[in-house]
Amino acid sequence: MKKFKRVVFLVPSVLLIFFLSGCQQLNQESLTVAGSTAIQPIIEMAAAKYRQQRPNSYVNVQGGGSETGLSQVAERAIDIGTSDVFASKKASLQVHKLQDHKLAVSGIAVIVNAKTGVHNLSMRQVQKIFTGKITNWQQVGGKKLPITVINRAEGSGTRLNFETLALAHHSSMVAQEQASSGTAYQIVKETAGAVSYVAFPYVQAGVIAPKIDEVKPTVANVEDNHWKLWSYEHLYTRQNPSQKVRDFINYLGSSQVKKIILKLGFIPVSAMNVARNRYGTIETAK
């Protein structure tokens, strides 16, 4: 009888544990953010801190590229789509159904393998390199090394911005493609003669980020538009998003996340002395 009593006593306790666990799962709020791989580190760090403040909130952060982020948020497959480009650049999207929240600014730098010996380029030379008209670094004052172009993948916002801003809307030559700035950086670092373009935070040790038309790729030069290769990091939601999405968007605009933006090498929108509209026109920042 004693054993029977113990079992009777334990069963309600086990049921209570499962009941409480189920309640916690039911109360958990989850949302999905996907798109630009450039902005992904900001969202991942912010999501981790957000979870600390709101244990019942879970943010699933994915990459996939800007085109993926825009198309999936438009299709309601995700809650927030991250993009390096304005949604209006994608003709197939119903832009009026989306809401733009600019989170940060990202400079874009050309990077070359250290063995090239190249520290200065003109924009015209950049255009000829990426369209296949210049094929050896010796042609631009560097070592006698063949040029290996590393492109970002189709659908990458960084690629679209680079082709628009650096290549004057020309397409880059057919070449090896990489899905992320981090992978592009690693290949350029390890491949003699390689060249690519990455967001500023991925300009790391082991590669050269040459001046272009005598201008250095620095944050200060981006803020004044002296360095013209830069883009906004956008957060796109559907119009009238849910409360959980609004809460996370508001958190991403907080001073806590601004510290993350600065730490990772991005630029707060508020620090810019200029603004660029969806047509590419530069204006004085308001």
Side-chain angles (χ1 to χ4, degrees), residues 97 167 171 262:
K97 293 184 178 181
L167 305 189
S171 296
L262 290 167

Side-chain angles (χ1 to χ4, degrees), residues 118-126 140 209-218 221 225-228:
V118 172
H119 294 269
N120 296 279
L121 291 168
S122 69
M123 193 66 81
R124 185 65 179 147
Q125 288 172 332
V126 170
V140 290
K211 295 178 185 177
I212 296 180
D213 292 334
E214 298 300 324
V215 179
K216 291 182 179 179
T218 65
N221 282 334
N225 197 46
H226 293 136
W227 183 266
K228 302 184 187 304

Side-chain angles (χ1 to χ4, degrees), residues 123-124 126-128 130-131 159-172 228-229:
M123 193 66 81
R124 185 65 179 147
V126 170
Q127 292 167 359
K128 288 184 176 182
F130 281 92
T131 54
R159 176 170 177 165
L160 179 58
N161 284 314
F162 183 76
E163 290 180 343
T164 299
L165 300 169
L167 305 189
H169 298 277
H170 291 98
S171 296
S172 181
K228 302 184 187 304
L229 307 184

Side-chain angles (χ1 to χ4, degrees), residues 49-163:
K49 290 185 178 294
Y50 189 69
R51 183 71 182 268
Q52 291 173 3
Q53 297 179 18
R54 299 191 180 198
N56 290 331
S57 295
Y58 175 70
V59 182
N60 177 24
V61 185
Q62 304 171 8
S66 296
E67 187 170 314
T68 296
L70 289 171
S71 61
Q72 288 192 352
V73 74
E75 294 166 3
R76 299 182 184 273
I78 59 175
D79 299 286
I80 301 173
T82 55
S83 173
D84 303 333
V85 297
F86 286 93
S88 56
K89 295 289 185 181
K90 303 297 179 182
S92 60
L93 292 177
Q94 294 179 306
V95 178
H96 65 282
K97 293 184 178 181
L98 299 180
Q99 187 173 348
D100 184 9
H101 314 265
K102 295 184 183 71
L103 177 62
V105 168
S106 173
I108 301 169
V110 173
I111 56 170
V112 301
N113 180 267
K115 292 181 179 178
T116 63
V118 172
H119 294 269
N120 296 279
L121 291 168
S122 69
M123 193 66 81
R124 185 65 179 147
Q125 288 172 332
V126 170
Q127 292 167 359
K128 288 184 176 182
I129 287 169
F130 281 92
T131 54
K133 295 179 176 65
I134 291 177
T135 58
N136 195 292
W137 290 110
Q138 194 174 40
Q139 294 173 260
V140 290
K143 302 289 179 62
K144 190 175 182 180
L145 273 174
I147 293 173
T148 300
V149 170
I150 309 296
N151 265 329
R152 293 296 309 282
E154 288 287 349
S156 160
T158 304
R159 176 170 177 165
L160 179 58
N161 284 314
F162 183 76
E163 290 180 343

